[in-house]
Amino acid sequence: MTIRAVVRGIGHYLPENVVENAAFEKTLDTTDEWIRSRSGIERRHFASEGETTSRMAVLAAKAALDDAGMAVSDVDAIVVATSTPDLTFPSSASMVQAQLGMERGFAFDVQAVCAGFVYALANANALVVSGQADRVLVIGAETFSRIMDWKDRSTSVLFGDGAGAVIVEKQDGTGQSSDRGILATDLNSDGRFKDLLYVDGGTSTGTTGYLRMQGNQVFRHAVEKLAATAQTAMTRAGVTHDEVDWVVPHQANIRIIQGTAKKMNVPMEKVIVTVQNHGNTSAASIPLALSVGKQSGKLKTGDLIVTEAIGGGLAWGSVVFRL
Ligand code: ACO
């Protein structure tokens, strides 16, 4: 008998404030055309004052609980992937735990920047498989608008805010790739690339610094590393590219998404794309895309899904699961 962590519920929350590319033309030497053609981004959501990472995470978590038909008392653990916590500590996850009214279990954050959700899902899988928890709420939530240098056109036009959540639950499987649940994970990092993408100075208490990125250097690493990690996870899962129903990638740049899908031998018709509407929401982007994909009726029970992400660290990874 094999223990599987099966995705039972998916939900998301996006702030009401939507900002179109054209808005940046007023303050920066940029154009809607440049942003669209270089990144695929058309608009993004920005959190309003007081709308914190933990608040958005709670709203996404409630949507996922509703989708699963579960109460918060059913949950054993909360893992929040974020690089923009409300405070340096306590963890955003423990703040979410309190706001949900959950009085037992445990909660902690995972910090792997844009790869955060993949890392969090892999950790949730390990908790379930090792018997530490039967049901885990896994959330990706970010307020990157709070670490933007609004004078830097090469970064400030690319990011957005939001949150997505999934609930995984322990179920018995056969050990075959036909099982529902997480079939394989692959995680990687290489700290030598720190200077390509980091937040300078300060602390994360509201006096934090600004995001700095050598975008074209990150781009160079992205397609190759994403396709490689996806292939490693698929091989571990015992599946091939023609069995994949959906790729749900980190949503940073449409050209990275297309290049990776091509290298994976998966047509774009099988890729969930939300970058045009959300921008890069870092650790929130994959659960947001999963939720939008499910709500649109594309992702169905039994589908084989490959997620892949890369971000600051550099950190990158992939999770393969059957919905
Ligand atoms: N408007 C107009 N021109 C701009 C803008 C802008 N908003 N931003 C940059 N430019 C200019 C640059 O100054 C440069 O001008 P120059 O040639 O005169 O020096 C020119 O456009 C080209 O710049 P590049 O950076 O080479 O453009 P590129 O085609 O690489 O696209 C982008 C930039 C969109 C950032 C791309 O490199 C990218 O998506 N990189 C990967 C980002 C990523 O995946 N990050 C990881 C996840 S994020 C995380 O972990 C937090």
Side-chain angles (χ1 to χ4, degrees), residues 248-265:
V248 184
H250 171 47
Q251 312 279 325
N253 186 311
I254 190 64
R255 293 184 291 143
I256 293 174
I257 293 171
Q258 289 165 339
T260 306
K262 193 172 173 199
K263 228 174 159 77
M264 289 172 66
N265 261 315

PDB file of all heavy atoms in Angstrom, residues 248-265:
ATOM      1  N   VAL A 248       0.755  23.264 -15.303  1.00  0.00           N
ATOM      2  CA  VAL A 248       0.354  24.488 -14.586  1.00  0.00           C
ATOM      3  C   VAL A 248       1.653  25.134 -14.089  1.00  0.00           C
ATOM      4  O   VAL A 248       2.144  24.821 -12.998  1.00  0.00           O
ATOM      5  CB  VAL A 248      -0.618  24.186 -13.432  1.00  0.00           C
ATOM      6  CG1 VAL A 248      -1.081  25.489 -12.776  1.00  0.00           C
ATOM      7  CG2 VAL A 248      -1.824  23.399 -13.948  1.00  0.00           C
ATOM      8  N   PRO A 249       2.229  26.020 -14.921  1.00  0.00           N
ATOM      9  CA  PRO A 249       3.550  26.569 -14.610  1.00  0.00           C
ATOM     10  C   PRO A 249       3.476  27.810 -13.723  1.00  0.00           C
ATOM     11  O   PRO A 249       2.415  28.448 -13.626  1.00  0.00           O
ATOM     12  CB  PRO A 249       4.074  26.968 -15.986  1.00  0.00           C
ATOM     13  CG  PRO A 249       2.849  27.335 -16.765  1.00  0.00           C
ATOM     14  CD  PRO A 249       1.704  26.516 -16.206  1.00  0.00           C
ATOM     15  N   HIS A 250       4.611  28.167 -13.119  1.00  0.00           N
ATOM     16  CA  HIS A 250       4.740  29.488 -12.495  1.00  0.00           C
ATOM     17  C   HIS A 250       4.531  30.532 -13.588  1.00  0.00           C
ATOM     18  O   HIS A 250       5.035  30.393 -14.704  1.00  0.00           O
ATOM     19  CB  HIS A 250       6.127  29.631 -11.869  1.00  0.00           C
ATOM     20  CG  HIS A 250       6.412  31.022 -11.399  1.00  0.00           C
ATOM     21  ND1 HIS A 250       5.512  31.744 -10.644  1.00  0.00           N
ATOM     22  CD2 HIS A 250       7.484  31.845 -11.601  1.00  0.00           C
ATOM     23  CE1 HIS A 250       6.018  32.934 -10.381  1.00  0.00           C
ATOM     24  NE2 HIS A 250       7.213  33.018 -10.950  1.00  0.00           N
ATOM     25  N   GLN A 251       3.782  31.571 -13.246  1.00  0.00           N
ATOM     26  CA  GLN A 251       3.383  32.570 -14.255  1.00  0.00           C
ATOM     27  C   GLN A 251       4.249  33.818 -14.107  1.00  0.00           C
ATOM     28  O   GLN A 251       3.866  34.768 -13.419  1.00  0.00           O
ATOM     29  CB  GLN A 251       1.909  32.912 -14.076  1.00  0.00           C
ATOM     30  CG  GLN A 251       0.984  31.718 -13.945  1.00  0.00           C
ATOM     31  CD  GLN A 251       0.602  31.085 -15.265  1.00  0.00           C
ATOM     32  OE1 GLN A 251       0.444  31.782 -16.267  1.00  0.00           O
ATOM     33  NE2 GLN A 251       0.445  29.769 -15.284  1.00  0.00           N
ATOM     34  N   ALA A 252       5.443  33.786 -14.730  1.00  0.00           N
ATOM     35  CA  ALA A 252       6.326  34.962 -14.682  1.00  0.00           C
ATOM     36  C   ALA A 252       6.354  35.661 -16.028  1.00  0.00           C
ATOM     37  O   ALA A 252       6.360  36.887 -16.101  1.00  0.00           O
ATOM     38  CB  ALA A 252       7.737  34.554 -14.277  1.00  0.00           C
ATOM     39  N   ASN A 253       6.372  34.855 -17.102  1.00  0.00           N
ATOM     40  CA  ASN A 253       6.596  35.417 -18.426  1.00  0.00           C
ATOM     41  C   ASN A 253       6.084  34.422 -19.457  1.00  0.00           C
ATOM     42  O   ASN A 253       6.463  33.250 -19.424  1.00  0.00           O
ATOM     43  CB  ASN A 253       8.105  35.655 -18.599  1.00  0.00           C
ATOM     44  CG  ASN A 253       8.425  36.370 -19.890  1.00  0.00           C
ATOM     45  OD1 ASN A 253       7.952  35.987 -20.953  1.00  0.00           O
ATOM     46  ND2 ASN A 253       9.217  37.415 -19.787  1.00  0.00           N
ATOM     47  N   ILE A 254       5.251  34.878 -20.390  1.00  0.00           N
ATOM     48  CA  ILE A 254       4.649  33.965 -21.376  1.00  0.00           C
ATOM     49  C   ILE A 254       5.728  33.302 -22.240  1.00  0.00           C
ATOM     50  O   ILE A 254       5.585  32.138 -22.640  1.00  0.00           O
ATOM     51  CB  ILE A 254       3.600  34.697 -22.269  1.00  0.00           C
ATOM     52  CG1 ILE A 254       2.806  33.705 -23.133  1.00  0.00           C
ATOM     53  CG2 ILE A 254       4.236  35.768 -23.129  1.00  0.00           C
ATOM     54  CD1 ILE A 254       1.950  32.738 -22.399  1.00  0.00           C
ATOM     55  N   ARG A 255       6.838  34.013 -22.463  1.00  0.00           N
ATOM     56  CA  ARG A 255       7.892  33.406 -23.305  1.00  0.00           C
ATOM     57  C   ARG A 255       8.588  32.261 -22.579  1.00  0.00           C
ATOM     58  O   ARG A 255       8.971  31.278 -23.189  1.00  0.00           O
ATOM     59  CB  ARG A 255       8.903  34.486 -23.720  1.00  0.00           C
ATOM     60  CG  ARG A 255       8.295  35.531 -24.655  1.00  0.00           C
ATOM     61  CD  ARG A 255       9.330  36.531 -25.115  1.00  0.00           C
ATOM     62  NE  ARG A 255       9.774  37.393 -24.042  1.00  0.00           N
ATOM     63  CZ  ARG A 255      11.022  37.832 -23.879  1.00  0.00           C
ATOM     64  NH1 ARG A 255      11.970  37.451 -24.713  1.00  0.00           N
ATOM     65  NH2 ARG A 255      11.338  38.624 -22.880  1.00  0.00           N
ATOM     66  N   ILE A 256       8.719  32.375 -21.246  1.00  0.00           N
ATOM     67  CA  ILE A 256       9.293  31.268 -20.466  1.00  0.00           C
ATOM     68  C   ILE A 256       8.312  30.098 -20.460  1.00  0.00           C
ATOM     69  O   ILE A 256       8.694  28.933 -20.628  1.00  0.00           O
ATOM     70  CB  ILE A 256       9.604  31.719 -19.019  1.00  0.00           C
ATOM     71  CG1 ILE A 256      10.727  32.756 -19.011  1.00  0.00           C
ATOM     72  CG2 ILE A 256       9.990  30.519 -18.140  1.00  0.00           C
ATOM     73  CD1 ILE A 256      11.005  33.380 -17.645  1.00  0.00           C
ATOM     74  N   ILE A 257       7.020  30.403 -20.293  1.00  0.00           N
ATOM     75  CA  ILE A 257       5.986  29.354 -20.262  1.00  0.00           C
ATOM     76  C   ILE A 257       5.980  28.595 -21.595  1.00  0.00           C
ATOM     77  O   ILE A 257       5.970  27.356 -21.628  1.00  0.00           O
ATOM     78  CB  ILE A 257       4.601  29.984 -19.962  1.00  0.00           C
ATOM     79  CG1 ILE A 257       4.577  30.538 -18.529  1.00  0.00           C
ATOM     80  CG2 ILE A 257       3.482  28.968 -20.181  1.00  0.00           C
ATOM     81  CD1 ILE A 257       3.341  31.376 -18.193  1.00  0.00           C
ATOM     82  N   GLN A 258       6.009  29.350 -22.713  1.00  0.00           N
ATOM     83  CA  GLN A 258       5.980  28.710 -24.038  1.00  0.00           C
ATOM     84  C   GLN A 258       7.252  27.901 -24.298  1.00  0.00           C
ATOM     85  O   GLN A 258       7.190  26.769 -24.789  1.00  0.00           O
ATOM     86  CB  GLN A 258       5.832  29.784 -25.128  1.00  0.00           C
ATOM     87  CG  GLN A 258       4.445  30.414 -25.150  1.00  0.00           C
ATOM     88  CD  GLN A 258       4.378  31.710 -25.961  1.00  0.00           C
ATOM     89  OE1 GLN A 258       5.401  32.369 -26.193  1.00  0.00           O
ATOM     90  NE2 GLN A 258       3.177  32.081 -26.363  1.00  0.00           N
ATOM     91  N   GLY A 259       8.406  28.477 -23.945  1.00  0.00           N
ATOM     92  CA  GLY A 259       9.682  27.798 -24.185  1.00  0.00           C
ATOM     93  C   GLY A 259       9.785  26.504 -23.394  1.00  0.00           C
ATOM     94  O   GLY A 259      10.284  25.481 -23.893  1.00  0.00           O
ATOM     95  N   THR A 260       9.288  26.536 -22.150  1.00  0.00           N
ATOM     96  CA  THR A 260       9.356  25.338 -21.302  1.00  0.00           C
ATOM     97  C   THR A 260       8.410  24.263 -21.825  1.00  0.00           C
ATOM     98  O   THR A 260       8.776  23.083 -21.896  1.00  0.00           O
ATOM     99  CB  THR A 260       9.006  25.701 -19.839  1.00  0.00           C
ATOM    100  OG1 THR A 260       9.851  26.777 -19.427  1.00  0.00           O
ATOM    101  CG2 THR A 260       9.199  24.521 -18.906  1.00  0.00           C
ATOM    102  N   ALA A 261       7.197  24.667 -22.202  1.00  0.00           N
ATOM    103  CA  ALA A 261       6.229  23.693 -22.737  1.00  0.00           C
ATOM    104  C   ALA A 261       6.795  23.019 -23.984  1.00  0.00           C
ATOM    105  O   ALA A 261       6.692  21.801 -24.149  1.00  0.00           O
ATOM    106  CB  ALA A 261       4.903  24.392 -23.052  1.00  0.00           C
ATOM    107  N   LYS A 262       7.440  23.815 -24.833  1.00  0.00           N
ATOM    108  CA  LYS A 262       8.021  23.271 -26.070  1.00  0.00           C
ATOM    109  C   LYS A 262       9.103  22.240 -25.745  1.00  0.00           C
ATOM    110  O   LYS A 262       9.132  21.146 -26.312  1.00  0.00           O
ATOM    111  CB  LYS A 262       8.610  24.424 -26.889  1.00  0.00           C
ATOM    112  CG  LYS A 262       8.960  24.040 -28.295  1.00  0.00           C
ATOM    113  CD  LYS A 262       9.342  25.249 -29.104  1.00  0.00           C
ATOM    114  CE  LYS A 262       9.849  24.781 -30.458  1.00  0.00           C
ATOM    115  NZ  LYS A 262      10.638  25.792 -31.138  1.00  0.00           N
ATOM    116  N   LYS A 263       9.959  22.580 -24.795  1.00  0.00           N
ATOM    117  CA  LYS A 263      11.040  21.666 -24.394  1.00  0.00           C
ATOM    118  C   LYS A 263      10.484  20.398 -23.737  1.00  0.00           C
ATOM    119  O   LYS A 263      11.100  19.335 -23.789  1.00  0.00           O
ATOM    120  CB  LYS A 263      11.982  22.384 -23.419  1.00  0.00           C
ATOM    121  CG  LYS A 263      13.446  22.199 -23.795  1.00  0.00           C
ATOM    122  CD  LYS A 263      14.343  23.025 -22.901  1.00  0.00           C
ATOM    123  CE  LYS A 263      15.744  22.497 -22.899  1.00  0.00           C
ATOM    124  NZ  LYS A 263      16.576  22.762 -23.984  1.00  0.00           N
ATOM    125  N   MET A 264       9.314  20.544 -23.091  1.00  0.00           N
ATOM    126  CA  MET A 264       8.676  19.385 -22.450  1.00  0.00           C
ATOM    127  C   MET A 264       7.869  18.552 -23.450  1.00  0.00           C
ATOM    128  O   MET A 264       7.308  17.514 -23.081  1.00  0.00           O
ATOM    129  CB  MET A 264       7.718  19.858 -21.333  1.00  0.00           C
ATOM    130  CG  MET A 264       8.393  20.421 -20.109  1.00  0.00           C
ATOM    131  SD  MET A 264       7.172  21.161 -18.981  1.00  0.00           S
ATOM    132  CE  MET A 264       6.244  19.699 -18.463  1.00  0.00           C
ATOM    133  N   ASN A 265       7.758  19.052 -24.697  1.00  0.00           N
ATOM    134  CA  ASN A 265       6.955  18.360 -25.715  1.00  0.00           C
ATOM    135  C   ASN A 265       5.465  18.337 -25.376  1.00  0.00           C
ATOM    136  O   ASN A 265       4.779  17.346 -25.658  1.00  0.00           O
ATOM    137  CB  ASN A 265       7.432  16.918 -25.885  1.00  0.00           C
ATOM    138  CG  ASN A 265       8.342  16.777 -27.067  1.00  0.00           C
ATOM    139  OD1 ASN A 265       8.044  17.309 -28.136  1.00  0.00           O
ATOM    140  ND2 ASN A 265       9.457  16.099 -26.856  1.00  0.00           N
TER     141      ASN A 265
END
